[in-house]
Amino acid sequence: MQNLADNTLPVKIIANAFLNKTVIILAGGPSLDQILPWVHTHRHKFVIFSVARISRQLIKAGLEPDFLFSVDPTDLSFDNSKEMLYFSNQPILIYSHHTVPSLVSQWHGTKLFTGNRFPWKTELNVNNTGATGPTVT
C-alpha cells in the first residue's frame, strides 16, 4: 500500500525495447570488482542493468547504470541500496510493487513497477510483468 502513489508506470511499457541491443547485468559477487574496469572501458557498447545494492561499487568505479533494480521489502534493503540516490536522474528504477517504500519514494528519476498496481483485483491493474523476489536475481 505504501508504494501505491509511486506505482504509475508499469515495467511492461519497455517490453522489447532492447531488441538487437547488448545488455549487461551487474549484481553483487566476488568477481564484480574485477569486472568493473572492463565495464567502464566498454561502457558505450551496451545497456547496463544493475541491482541497486551495488550502487556504492558503481559510484566508486565511475559507472552509472541505465537501469537499477530493487525488489526487497525490508528496511535493510534501503541501507544496502541508498547510494543509488547519488546517481543522476538518468537511470530508471525498476522495482517490485512491494519494494521498501523509503527507497522507492526517494528515487528522483523515472521508475517502473513490476506486478500489480493495486494489491486487490481491479480493472485498474494492467497486464504487467511480475517480479516478486525474494531477490532481484
Side-chain angles (χ1 to χ4, degrees):
M1 290 294 292
Q2 293 178 350
N3 286 334
L4 195 56
D6 290 299
N7 293 349
T8 58
L9 296 173
V11 72
K12 188 76 169 182
I13 66 174
I14 63 167
N16 300 317
F18 302 103
L19 295 176
N20 301 315
K21 303 280 186 196
T22 300
V23 174
I24 186 168
I25 301 170
L26 300 177
S31 63
L32 180 62
D33 288 332
Q34 296 168 1
I35 195 73
L36 288 179
W38 180 88
V39 173
H40 193 277
T41 299
H42 300 282
R43 172 66 177 101
H44 63 283
K45 296 180 180 180
F46 41 71
V47 177
I48 296 178
F49 283 19
S50 172
V51 298
R53 68 183 180 88
I54 67 165
S55 294
R56 178 184 308 138
Q57 290 165 280
L58 294 179
I59 290 168
K60 184 178 175 186
L63 286 167
E64 184 169 85
D66 298 293
F67 291 86
L68 289 159
F69 291 80
S70 183
V71 300
D72 298 318
T74 67
D75 290 333
L76 182 59
S77 179
F78 177 82
D79 289 335
N80 291 337
S81 303
K82 65 187 174 198
E83 283 80 12
M84 70 180 245
L85 300 173
Y86 294 113
F87 289 128
S88 75
N89 66 351
Q90 294 303 304
I92 295 173
L93 173 62
I94 297 179
Y95 67 97
S96 182
H97 63 283
H98 63 258
T99 299
V100 62
S102 56
L103 194 62
V104 174
S105 66
Q106 291 186 65
W107 180 245
H108 51 276
T110 300
K111 47 192 161 198
L112 307 174
F113 71 94
T114 65
N116 289 326
R117 176 174 286 142
F118 299 97
W120 57 83
K121 288 187 179 192
T122 174
E123 292 179 9
L124 298 173
N125 281 329
V126 296
N127 182 19
N128 197 14
T129 302
T132 58
T135 68
V136 172
T137 307

